[in-house]
Amino acid sequence: MTGTTEHHAPHPHIGGRTAALRALTAWRGAAPGAPRAVVLTGSSGSGRSRLLTGFLMLCESEYRKRLPLDEMDPSTVPPDLPAPAVPTPEGLTAAQVLWLLADHYELNATSVEGVYAELAALDEPVTVVVPDVDRAGPVRTAGEPARLVREVLSPLAATETVRLLAEVPRPLAAELAEVLPSGTVQIIDLDEPEWADPEGLLRHAQAALSPEFGAPELPFTVDPASRLALGAAIGRRAGTSPLVVQLAVNCILMAPEGFDPADERFLPTSVGEALDLHARRLGTDSQTLRLLLAPLALAEADGLPVQLWARLASAVAGQDMSQAIAGGMLLAAPFVQPEERDADAVEGDPEGGGRTLLRLLHPAIGDEIRAGLPNVAAAQSQIAMALLEAVPEQDWGKADPYVRDNIAGHTLEAGLLPQLLTDPGLFVHADPVPLRAAIEAVPTEELGAPARTYLRTAPLLTRTEAPVTLRAALLETAFVEDGLPEYAEAIHQRLGLELPWQTLWSLSLPGVSAVTVGSLPRPDGSATPVAVLVVPAGTPGARPVGAPGDESGSAVLVHGLVQPDSLGDADPEQILRPSEEERATAPLGLSRGADYLRVWNRADQEIVAALISDTPFTAADLSPDGILLVATERGAKALRIRATGAGIAS
């Protein structure tokens, strides 16, 4: 039997896994012959995360003080070294994980390649532990775990100054090992006999059945001999899966009536059997239980709000499941984990206050439920339709945060996401992190023009964590830039938001090096506000500046400042610029940085508009009556600043 702890105390968190802990300890201490990279894998529910958590306790000084190190097998206790970097990828993109690592080591890199180059140039090896690779990504079905392995873990493992330990699903573990030189990596598969831990499973079952650790007092929990026999039977039936042990105990303790500890027929050998046996013992069919759990198996993010559960279960089942849910809490309880969220954790909750989220106890339960659905895409289609119907008055600003932020993930798996991406309200109100990830998972040729504009703008929204009003303003100007004025107008007219500006026009015009606002006198004594753009010589409609025939110089393009009209016949010499006094007494002032512009109210110094760009600003000017003229590497645009109380002319 592997992993015996006959003469030593087991790790109190893990309760076994001695063979695996020895291998991880050898890796941590860079023992002779130990590989530079270790991949921890196994089936979902095999205890990968628990083992890695227990091992990291041994690698962190504060946790080590709480563990009985003197009583443990010395070969399972790594040396007391500085704690490794642990960039946790749950909910993050591959790029975010890499930059977490760069921040940890205070690297100066500004590119992905630069991160690996700086790591390779370090004098001392660095130790990196990446847990829960299977939970990477803001959207469950967008393929982020594979991207993390290919784009981050493989290059890390190939960097000789990096000692890497990663917890990876089995198919991706094999892929990672294949790209590395022989002898560089060791795979620890917890389902293989070499690493299996039946003794640990027995301890796990016996501890879970003990009233000392919270189990109710029942004949087979208070009697040590009965508890030992039942724990041994549970562990024996569970094979190599701690999750199956946990589910077996949960099912017994939550519904002990009629359970016979001597009858092993109701002890599961797999996650699927745990579902089926529990349903049968409670006198219902397994399909009902699986349909109740289906919305949780298909859920996104941190879990499903409890108030949506019945609606979505009914959508998947094609019949009203509200009564089944009301009377089936005992049926579902062994497989579900509720979590209370307080008001501060529920951003944009239209009802205010906290809420209860429901999630499955383990991702392996979701895998089992999804595998049993006749058609996952069809089930997600039904869920997506139910979520759309749950949006009050089709106003995304009033939608439940789960619906608003995660409907894209459901429609992605349903194959319907491109059809959803036509509503500017969704673009503005949805959390841009999961929405961006979902859109990026769709082939570009399948996306419509509004979705492509959103995708172009999304890095700004995610980088700045822009609130709703700023998201709306940035998308409004992006839609004008991309020739979609109807979407910009919809943001103004339909969403009820007070934007800091209205984009008047935009020109796709590379090479603008300077801009100036001015006015062109008319014969009747009035004046036309104009924008003067300095552009490369030869730009259509522009007048050359400099000596005649000098093609290497620049030119001036005159454009309406308020109206989107070209004024190519205007004489630049006739244009009047604002005087210094007019600028100094204007109600608004302008400040400029490399990638931002700020317009502020002179009366109280309050910032009334902050414009950021995905391409560098090359020039900017502000008219006395509050029209901002901006040039970037992409072109030029004019925005009317809307500042309450600033005396801006309309």
Side-chain angles (χ1 to χ4, degrees):
M1 180 181 292
T2 62
T4 181
T5 56
E6 182 179 353
H7 303 296
H8 300 284
H11 189 301
H13 179 76
I14 303 171
R17 297 291 189 192
T18 303
L21 279 175
R22 284 174 179 152
L24 296 179
T25 298
W27 165 82
R28 174 66 169 151
R36 193 165 44 77
V38 172
V39 178
L40 181 62
T41 191
S43 60
S44 185
S46 61
R48 302 184 315 239
S49 296
R50 188 177 186 86
L51 169 60
L52 192 56
T53 299
F55 177 68
L56 287 174
M57 290 178 177
L58 295 166
C59 297
E60 213 283 326
S61 295
E62 287 303 313
Y63 275 106
R64 287 172 68 96
K65 296 175 184 177
R66 308 174 198 173
L67 298 175
L69 301 185
D70 293 340
E71 302 173 22
M72 295 172 59
D73 184 341
S75 66
T76 67
V77 180
D80 190 7
L81 299 170
V86 187
T88 303
E90 183 172 1
L92 301 182
T93 65
Q96 287 174 314
V97 174
L98 182 64
W99 289 110
L100 279 179
L101 189 61
D103 289 343
H104 178 87
Y105 288 109
E106 299 180 345
L107 304 181
N108 296 317
T110 58
S111 66
V112 170
E113 295 76 12
V115 173
Y116 298 119
E118 288 196 30
L119 287 173
L122 294 176
D123 294 332
E124 297 291 332
V126 296
T127 305
V128 179
V129 179
V130 184
D132 298 322
V133 168
D134 58 328
R135 303 191 183 193
V139 176
R140 183 174 50 79
T141 56
E144 204 64 37
R147 194 172 295 115
L148 177 60
V149 167
R150 293 163 190 164
E151 298 179 7
V152 177
L153 298 188
S154 292
L156 280 177
T159 303
E160 293 188 0
T161 55
V162 174
R163 300 187 61 80
L164 177 67
L165 168 58
E167 180 211 332
V168 180
R170 186 179 287 119
L172 294 176
E175 179 178 327
L176 177 58
E178 286 174 1
V179 301
L180 298 175
S182 177
T184 302
V185 62
Q186 178 184 21
I187 293 183
I188 298 177
D189 188 330
L190 296 184
D191 292 318
E192 294 295 326
E194 178 183 1
W195 310 106
D197 188 20
E199 189 176 318
L201 287 185
L202 185 147
R203 286 199 198 90
H204 180 186
Q206 291 176 342
L209 289 168
S210 174
E212 182 182 353
F213 296 104
E217 293 189 354
L218 299 165
F220 51 82
T221 63
V222 296
D223 178 59
S226 297
R227 186 169 66 242
L228 178 64
L230 179 56
I234 290 172
R236 184 170 59 252
R237 296 277 290 175
T240 62
S241 176
L243 176 62
V244 174
V245 169
Q246 183 178 2
L247 294 179
V249 173
N250 285 359
C251 293
I252 294 169
L253 298 184
M254 289 185 182
E257 294 78 9
F259 173 72
D260 181 0
D263 188 352
E264 292 192 11
R265 292 179 304 164
F266 284 101
L267 299 181
T269 61
S270 66
V271 172
E273 197 169 29
L275 291 162
D276 299 340
L277 292 176
H278 183 66
R280 188 193 312 165
R281 198 160 62 82
L282 268 61
T284 188
D285 64 287
S286 176
Q287 184 64 11
T288 298
L289 174 56
R290 289 170 180 264
L291 287 173
L292 288 179
L293 298 179
L296 306 182
L298 298 171
E300 293 287 338
D302 295 328
L304 189 69
V306 67
Q307 66 270 21
L308 289 175
W309 187 16
R311 178 193 288 264
L312 301 190
S314 300
V316 174
Q319 63 187 53
D320 186 0
M321 297 290 287
S322 55
Q323 289 302 313
I325 285 179
M329 293 306 295
L330 198 60
L331 179 65
F335 310 97
V336 174
Q337 180 178 347
E339 179 182 342
E340 299 296 329
R341 291 289 182 91
D342 59 29
D344 293 337
V346 188
E347 181 182 355
D349 184 355
E351 299 177 2
R355 55 167 45 191
T356 301
L357 297 180
L358 298 177
R359 65 167 67 132
L360 293 175
L361 191 66
H362 193 279
I365 303 171
D367 295 340
E368 172 66 26
I369 298 292
R370 287 191 297 272
L373 290 172
N375 187 322
V376 171
Q380 286 284 34
S381 296
Q382 295 303 317
I383 286 178
M385 294 304 104
L387 293 176
L388 282 173
E389 292 170 1
V391 179
E393 304 166 16
Q394 294 304 295
D395 182 347
W396 290 103
K398 300 177 181 178
D400 181 278
Y402 180 88
V403 178
R404 176 194 70 208
D405 297 337
N406 296 297
I407 191 170
H410 290 282
T411 54
L412 174 66
E413 193 167 21
L416 301 175
L417 181 55
Q419 292 93 302
L420 182 70
L421 302 176
T422 58
D423 190 335
L426 178 65
F427 290 141
V428 167
H429 286 288
D431 183 338
V433 173
L435 182 55
R436 175 188 179 184
I439 297 175
E440 286 179 337
V442 178
T444 305
E445 61 272 14
E446 296 180 16
L447 297 175
R452 293 195 295 272
T453 294
Y454 182 88
L455 207 53
R456 175 175 71 80
T457 313
L460 280 181
L461 309 182
T462 55
R463 187 186 80 201
T464 61
E465 299 182 352
V468 168
T469 300
L470 181 56
R471 291 204 295 260
L474 293 173
L475 285 167
E476 182 264 4
T477 197
F479 284 132
V480 174
E481 287 176 343
D482 291 352
L484 299 169
E486 66 276 18
Y487 281 86
E489 189 62 25
I491 289 176
H492 284 291
Q493 298 297 325
R494 288 173 35 200
L495 304 190
L497 299 172
E498 290 292 330
L499 302 192
W501 61 71
Q502 179 180 13
T503 306
L504 301 175
W505 52 264
S506 176
L507 292 177
S508 178
L509 191 66
V512 180
S513 57
V515 298
T516 307
V517 299
S519 59
L520 188 64
R522 296 173 180 165
D524 62 4
S526 62
T528 300
V530 297
V532 182
L533 315 176
V534 178
V535 296
T539 300
R543 292 196 177 194
V545 175
D550 182 6
E551 293 296 329
S552 64
S554 58
V556 167
L557 184 68
V558 181
H559 192 277
L561 183 61
V562 178
Q563 302 299 326
D565 300 323
S566 174
L567 302 174
D569 57 346
D571 183 357
E573 298 295 329
Q574 300 296 315
I575 295 173
L576 303 177
R577 272 70 169 179
S579 66
E580 291 301 319
E581 182 180 357
E582 287 177 301
R583 292 184 182 275
T585 57
L588 297 179
L590 175 65
S591 301
R592 175 185 166 190
D595 61 352
Y596 71 88
L597 295 170
R598 291 177 180 152
V599 179
W600 41 276
N601 194 333
R602 292 186 189 276
D604 56 15
Q605 303 298 303
E606 288 292 322
I607 295 173
V608 298
L611 183 64
I612 54 179
S613 175
D614 57 346
T615 56
F617 291 108
T618 57
D621 197 10
L622 180 66
S623 73
D625 61 349
I627 295 179
L628 178 62
L629 180 61
V630 176
T632 69
E633 293 180 353
R634 182 180 291 111
K637 57 189 173 186
L639 300 86
R640 186 187 300 280
I641 305 301
R642 293 175 165 176
T644 303
I648 301 302
S650 60

